[in-house]
Amino acid sequence: MLPEKRLLTPDDMKLWEESPTRAHFTKFIIDLAESVKGHENSQYKEPISESINSMMNLLSQIKDITQKHPVIKDADSSRFGKVEFRDFYDEVSRNSRKILRSEFPSLTDEQLEQLSIYLDESWGNKRRIDYGSGHELNFMCLLYGLYSYGIFNLSNDSTNLVLKVFIEYLKIMRILETKYWLEPAGSHGVWGLDDYHFLPFLFGAFQLTTHKHLKPISIHNNELVEMFAHRYLYFGCIAFINKVKSSASLRWHSPMLDDISGVKTWSKVAEGMIKMYKAEVLSKLPIMQHFYFSEFLPCPDGVSPPRGHIHDGTDKDDECNFEGHVHTTWGDCCGIKLPSAIAATEMNKKHHKPIPFD
Amino acid sequence: MMDLDKIIASLRDGKHIPEETVFRLCLNSQELLMNEGNVTQVDTPVTICGDIHGQLHDLLTLFEKSGGVEKTRYIFLGDFVDRGFYSLESFLLLLCYKLRYPDRITLIRGNHETRQITKVYGFYDEVVRKYGNSNVWRYCCEVFDYLSLGAIINNSIFCVHGGLSPDMTTVDEIRTIDRKQEVPHEGAMCDLLWSDPEDVDTWSLSPRGAGFLFGKREVDQFLEKNNVELIARAHQLVMEGYKEMFDGGLVTVWSAPNYCYRCGNVAAVLKIDDDLNREYTIFEAVQAQNEVGNAIIPTKKSQMDYFL
């Protein structure tokens, strides 16, 4: 049985929220976060284990694929996601099982089959050319799956799963976001944290919990942000936002981050990020209706039967006209095109604003 | 009797409106809107406005640049809420103007004027942040269900948020829809709010997942069958503020400059005079500082529950 999307209704969500699967997965995220308390990005654990190196090699292969598909069509005219992202996606999808096998030879064929869908869906939606916290979640499910299958040992690998693996994943995503102008999936506009990611803020807050001098309010100091962008995930995200948004300040375009900067301690921010992730990602039907259940993420009993199609990389995946598909929660499913800030920034560089006329 | 002028002044300043006041505004608006048809009849001269998306200060700029509601008639094509800082104040301001000048403001429903969409794309979050509960969001959603689906100007220009539907070829058919409901996921009412024009030969599946893509043939058929000369719609960001298509038979008007405070676009409104001439007014986003140097930022409200 291949991984399947199962969550369709608010009742399904209740079953999911009370399930051991969600509890175990949440604990996995929290364990990773706890493991980077007080760590800078460069303070990963050494020696780096073989399994972490294998995962880094896997990500290196993905990164190589990003170099193979330059933007050609509509390079200067389209404000929306570049269609060449689909070529990248297709190549990852065609090769994902092979890549996993080459890096983790001990995995069985069935295990590869279970894992590969999460690898495919870690980079964005092929049809909509967008990316959001649901795709980030898929990547964490991939790591969780590898942990479930005995590849990662959390007592040894958890710090490096964040400081090596997740950071490399984030670097690759920034390449994809910047290169293909990926649209934000399910954007809350100014009422979200970021256009694309959630977990760098969560892991980043944990990194900072023991810091003696940096405070949550420090994100408003541009010099500090630049100084610490490469040392702490949270400041790296702030630097990225400052770079791609055209408006005056965080207060203007990112009120949630501004609000959080008023919290007194990073411990409180870290604690709040866990609560927020549970509520805004793991408990939101628009995101969770795209969640894949699998052998290592078993679906709770009583949840709606699987939808008729299995992920097979065809264009019909995520079609919204499938019988039984939730249409009352359009949100993330029926994507509303929103040009990314990256696209807007690039367009501004290329064209002068027309002179207003009255 | 409510002092609308006082409430309007507070809204223009982005000040907090008590929940009880919002409740009464919404109730009175429902009573007013329920008497309007699915397709409202509007006379020239009139100014057509596109998406607003909660950008209150840009909405104020729009009024300033286009004559103001005291002297000018307006049609707003929907999507008043979501994404911006001030969805609530923007929507309530338009409702107040509707109550104050009923014949000068026409409000058409956009695809964002629904419970499902506002729950995800910001309006719900904004209300919960500003009031600590979602009552005000619920009151506004009730009003959404009463908004018209379209408007017709001098029987010659058809206005709608998104576009056309294969299920409706005439304006009279649109008048038969039972509109007082949440926007359904398919069918004519959905299509009117979700469809987009595109260079396609016939009706095509929309990548949005709702509505259709329609092309010149569909537009020309609609114009001819209904004896109108223009379809004015919004729904899609246009970096230049407006975009005419299909030999001027259709126009997209976009009225949220620097959309989401970062897209860098200009915005437009379209004035139609008594001879049906078109005049586009372009405007830019309000600066991040007002004239006395204060940042135009919502006043501090209680922190999100997660971080207490």
Side-chain angles (χ1 to χ4, degrees):
Chain A
M1 184 190 85
L2 290 172
E4 292 167 323
K5 300 178 181 183
R6 298 284 298 273
L7 299 173
L8 283 176
T9 68
D11 287 338
D12 289 341
M13 288 300 292
K14 278 201 190 103
L15 292 169
W16 153 251
E17 280 160 21
E18 294 156 8
S19 69
T21 299
R22 177 186 142 125
H24 294 156
F25 181 78
T26 304
K27 182 177 188 301
F28 175 74
I29 298 289
I30 294 174
D31 284 346
L32 296 190
E34 297 271 357
S35 76
V36 297
K37 274 185 172 179
H39 287 70
E40 290 192 15
N41 293 352
S42 61
Q43 293 174 334
Y44 47 85
K45 184 172 183 178
E46 291 191 280
I48 300 170
S49 72
E50 185 179 336
S51 50
I52 294 290
N53 271 325
S54 294
M55 191 65 202
M56 294 299 284
N57 289 339
L58 182 152
L59 292 176
S60 181
Q61 294 190 57
I62 302 295
K63 192 171 191 177
D64 288 345
I65 297 174
T66 70
Q67 309 306 319
K68 292 184 180 176
H69 301 282
V71 173
I72 296 170
K73 186 183 179 187
D74 288 332
D76 292 324
S77 61
S78 175
R79 295 181 299 274
F80 296 98
K82 303 305 183 186
V83 293
E84 289 84 359
F85 172 77
R86 293 177 177 144
D87 301 325
F88 162 84
Y89 177 98
D90 283 340
E91 183 163 347
V92 170
S93 189
R94 279 196 306 270
N95 292 284
S96 58
R97 206 173 293 190
K98 185 177 72 176
I99 292 170
L100 281 162
R101 181 186 288 110
S102 71
E103 298 303 337
F104 303 107
S106 65
L107 292 171
T108 67
D109 282 347
E110 188 191 342
Q111 289 172 334
L112 290 170
E113 196 172 61
Q114 294 290 304
L115 290 165
S116 62
I117 195 169
Y118 296 100
L119 178 54
D120 295 341
E121 300 297 342
S122 292
W123 317 102
N125 183 277
K126 171 182 172 174
R127 204 169 70 91
R128 298 196 308 267
I129 312 180
D130 64 13
Y131 177 89
S133 50
H135 301 101
E136 182 186 70
L137 173 59
N138 286 338
F139 183 73
M140 299 313 291
C141 290
L142 174 66
L143 300 184
Y144 181 80
L146 289 164
Y147 152 68
S148 297
Y149 290 144
I151 298 296
F152 297 125
N153 175 327
L154 283 199
S155 64
N156 192 47
D157 290 326
S158 46
T159 300
N160 287 356
L161 280 172
V162 179
L163 300 185
K164 295 293 283 182
V165 172
F166 184 82
I167 286 180
E168 184 65 17
Y169 169 76
L170 184 57
K171 284 179 185 172
I172 294 171
M173 280 317 308
R174 292 308 192 198
I175 292 170
L176 295 173
E177 290 153 15
T178 305
K179 178 172 183 173
Y180 298 118
W181 293 9
L182 298 184
E183 295 173 28
S187 171
H188 287 230
V190 295
W191 302 106
L193 287 183
D194 182 278
D195 287 339
Y196 300 113
H197 294 283
F198 193 111
L199 289 173
F201 294 96
L202 188 153
F203 293 144
F206 274 80
Q207 284 182 291
L208 289 155
T209 50
T210 59
H211 205 284
K212 290 186 165 57
H213 306 295
L214 291 172
K215 303 296 180 192
I217 201 78
S218 302
I219 64 171
H220 295 291
N221 182 320
N222 286 338
E223 286 171 11
L224 287 179
V225 170
E226 284 169 24
M227 189 179 305
F228 290 100
H230 298 290
R231 293 159 69 176
Y232 296 104
L233 281 160
Y234 201 101
F235 283 87
C237 285
I238 301 296
F240 181 79
I241 290 169
N242 286 342
K243 181 179 169 188
V244 301
K245 305 233 175 176
S246 64
S247 294
S249 73
L250 281 177
R251 291 204 159 92
W252 187 234
H253 51 67
S254 302
M256 285 311 206
L257 290 170
D258 176 50
D259 223 25
I260 294 164
S261 75
V263 178
K264 294 306 174 191
T265 68
W266 285 111
S267 295
K268 255 318 175 187
V269 176
E271 183 184 314
M273 286 293 174
I274 293 286
K275 292 179 188 172
M276 191 172 170
Y277 191 74
K278 288 178 180 175
E280 299 290 340
V281 178
L282 299 183
S283 295
K284 281 284 159 67
L285 184 52
I287 294 175
M288 295 310 297
Q289 69 178 340
H290 296 290
F291 185 82
Y292 287 98
F293 288 96
S294 57
E295 183 184 59
F296 56 84
L297 286 163
C299 189
D301 291 337
V303 166
S304 302
R307 275 162 249 176
H309 70 271
I310 301 292
H311 168 79
D312 58 3
T314 68
D315 286 343
K316 289 198 172 177
D317 197 27
D318 282 352
E319 284 277 332
C320 301
N321 53 3
F322 189 84
E323 185 180 350
H325 192 76
V326 173
H327 291 285
T328 55
T329 309
W330 285 3
D332 205 52
C333 164
C334 304
I336 298 174
K337 290 181 94 65
L338 172 70
S340 71
I342 292 165
T345 302
E346 287 297 311
M347 290 298 293
N348 274 339
K349 290 176 187 170
K350 288 169 177 168
H351 300 281
H352 298 295
K353 278 185 182 178
I355 299 168
F357 64 85
D358 281 313
Chain B
M1 187 54 191
M2 305 173 68
D3 186 344
L4 284 172
D5 289 330
K6 190 172 174 184
I7 300 170
I8 287 168
S10 292
L11 285 166
R12 291 179 64 102
D13 287 340
K15 288 178 179 163
H16 183 78
I17 308 296
E19 183 179 324
E20 167 64 19
T21 303
V22 177
F23 176 75
R24 280 185 288 129
L25 279 175
C26 290
L27 205 60
N28 292 352
S29 300
Q30 274 177 248
E31 290 171 5
L32 184 61
L33 292 168
M34 71 172 58
N35 294 316
E36 304 215 332
N38 287 356
V39 182
T40 306
Q41 297 274 112
V42 182
D43 295 324
T44 54
V46 64
T47 297
I48 301 168
C49 313
D51 288 27
I52 301 297
H53 281 303
Q55 298 183 198
L56 173 70
H57 298 90
D58 300 313
L59 175 60
L60 298 178
T61 300
L62 179 158
F63 282 124
E64 180 189 328
K65 298 287 187 182
S66 55
V69 69
E70 295 80 7
K71 290 178 276 181
T72 304
R73 222 189 320 256
Y74 288 93
I75 297 171
F76 285 86
L77 298 178
D79 280 11
F80 317 114
V81 299
D82 281 338
R83 300 208 164 110
F85 279 109
Y86 290 101
S87 293
L88 178 66
E89 289 79 6
S90 301
F91 183 56
L92 294 182
L93 181 64
L94 292 172
L95 289 187
C96 283
Y97 282 148
K98 181 63 183 176
L99 290 165
R100 182 76 172 76
Y101 308 99
D103 296 330
R104 275 182 242 164
I105 294 276
T106 299
L107 302 176
I108 288 172
R109 193 173 194 174
N111 62 301
H112 277 264
E113 274 75 59
T114 69
R115 292 159 186 79
Q116 292 93 347
I117 296 295
T118 51
K119 203 72 181 300
V120 176
Y121 287 97
F123 183 44
Y124 177 90
D125 298 315
E126 177 187 327
V127 168
V128 170
R129 176 175 163 143
K130 290 178 175 175
Y131 288 88
N133 64 64
S134 60
N135 293 335
V136 161
W137 171 77
R138 285 192 293 103
Y139 306 151
C140 292
C141 289
E142 293 293 323
V143 179
F144 293 161
D145 291 344
Y146 287 87
L147 295 167
S148 296
L149 302 179
I152 193 103
I153 302 172
N154 278 19
N155 293 314
S156 299
I157 295 174
F158 177 64
C159 304
V160 69
H161 177 70
L164 302 182
S165 171
D167 294 343
M168 294 263 156
T169 55
T170 67
V171 174
D172 282 340
E173 285 175 297
I174 297 172
R175 294 192 166 107
T176 67
I177 295 172
D178 173 15
R179 79 171 190 268
K180 296 181 177 69
Q181 55 173 313
E182 183 74 335
V183 179
H185 58 85
E186 62 187 11
M189 181 168 163
C190 170
D191 299 340
L192 292 169
L193 273 59
W194 280 90
S195 293
D196 292 301
E198 189 65 77
D199 190 14
V200 289
D201 294 334
T202 186
W203 298 102
S204 301
L205 206 66
S206 170
R208 294 186 193 261
F212 286 87
L213 300 180
F214 57 94
K216 184 178 196 310
R217 196 185 71 158
E218 286 71 42
V219 168
D220 287 348
Q221 281 177 0
F222 186 90
L223 297 178
E224 182 184 353
K225 184 169 284 195
N226 294 278
N227 195 26
V228 296
E229 65 181 68
L230 173 68
I231 297 168
R233 46 90 65 175
H235 196 38
Q236 284 181 301
L237 169 65
V238 183
M239 295 296 285
E240 303 80 14
Y242 72 95
K243 181 180 181 181
E244 293 195 352
M245 293 171 76
F246 309 139
D247 299 325
L250 177 140
V251 65
T252 300
V253 181
W254 182 267
S255 302
N258 196 29
Y259 180 38
C260 289
Y261 311 106
R262 68 190 195 214
C263 290
N265 61 292
V266 295
V269 295
L270 166 56
K271 181 173 182 178
I272 306 291
D273 69 16
D274 289 330
D275 297 316
L276 301 182
N277 295 314
R278 308 174 194 179
E279 182 189 336
Y280 295 97
T281 299
I282 305 293
F283 61 101
E284 290 194 13
V286 68
Q287 296 307 302
Q289 312 286 323
N290 65 18
E291 53 269 13
V292 296
N294 297 318
I296 302 173
I297 295 176
T299 53
K300 268 286 172 268
K301 300 296 179 184
S302 60
Q303 277 168 0
M304 302 158 66
D305 289 348
Y306 309 123
F307 298 93
L308 293 178

